[in-house]
């Protein structure tokens, strides 16, 4: 269908040949490409659609997988499976990063490695697959590339911040406090360092490409240390 080897390789990897070539190209086109030619030329509208389909597919999968788990146990798992960092990892696994269309400045700024761009492109791809082949095709992509992520929520069902807060309150501590203690890197690719603390407990720190990611990593480190020692 296309002479572009990156597009051909991506379609081979995801197991779907697009009938509508423009849908595939649009899903891979960041808003910076072509000096921001408008939202009908980039993947923002497809990302909006794909985000909703991803939520549906994830809710469906969790409903089937955890038949005896109440809603309160499903919600944090869903949040873990649809968050930006998860979608970014899937984008890398699927090879979406190699086929992205970015502006030269975004390319130089490491756009192919940014969680925000990768995550949005992954959701846009889901939207494009849905429009090109229906829910069955979108579900095939989800089932293929969310396997590893699903295993993680089976083993670690709760968000690290939720797990830490529940443990802290059960032990008689106050709610954990999160403080940004460092930020580095350029504005387009920042790195955050966050410290989480509980009164009377040695704090832990976490790093991440966003404040939220750094907080989760810090919470996970403190929770693991305290529960392993306990």
């Amino acid at each position: 269908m296309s002479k572009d080897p990156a597009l051909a390789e991506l379609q081979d990897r995801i197991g779907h040949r697009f009938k509508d070539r423009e849908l595939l190209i649009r899903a891979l086109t960041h808003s910076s490409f072509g000096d921001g030619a408008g939202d009908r030329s980039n993947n923002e509208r497809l990302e909006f659609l794909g985000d909703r389909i991803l939520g549906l597919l994830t809710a469906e999968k969790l409903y089937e997988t955890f038949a005896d788990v109440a809603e309160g146990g499903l919600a944090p798992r869903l949040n873990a499976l649809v968050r930006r960092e998860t979608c970014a990892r899937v984008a890398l696994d699927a090879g979406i990063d190699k086929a992205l269309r970015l502006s030269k400045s975004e390319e130089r700024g490491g756009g192919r490695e940014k969680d925000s761009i990768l995550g949005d492109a992954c959701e846009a791809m889901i939207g494009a697959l849905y429009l090109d082949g229906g829910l069955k095709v979108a579900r095939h992509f989800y089932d293929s590339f969310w396997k590893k992520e699903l295993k993680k929520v089976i083993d670690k069902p709760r968000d690290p911040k939720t797990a830490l807060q529940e443990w802290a309150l059960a032990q008689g501590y106050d709610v954990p406090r999160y403080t940004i203690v460092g930020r580095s890197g350029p504005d387009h690719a920042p790195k955050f360092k966050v410290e989480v603390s509980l009164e009377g407990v040695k704090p832990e720190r976490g790093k991440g490409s966003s404040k939220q990611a750094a907080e989760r990593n810090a919470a996970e480190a403190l929770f693991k240390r305290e529960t392993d020692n306990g």
Side-chain angles (χ1 to χ4, degrees), residues 155-174:
D155 296 335
K156 295 163 56 179
R158 290 177 294 173
D159 176 89
K161 292 179 66 176
T162 301
L164 177 62
Q165 180 166 315
E166 291 178 354
W167 174 85
L169 294 175
Q171 299 299 315
Y173 295 110
D174 289 333

Side-chain angles (χ1 to χ4, degrees), residues 62-83:
L62 291 174
Y63 187 84
E64 295 172 351
T65 303
F66 300 98
D68 298 324
V69 175
E71 187 275 340
L74 298 177
R77 288 178 166 97
L78 185 144
N79 291 336
L81 289 168
V82 303
R83 70 165 56 112

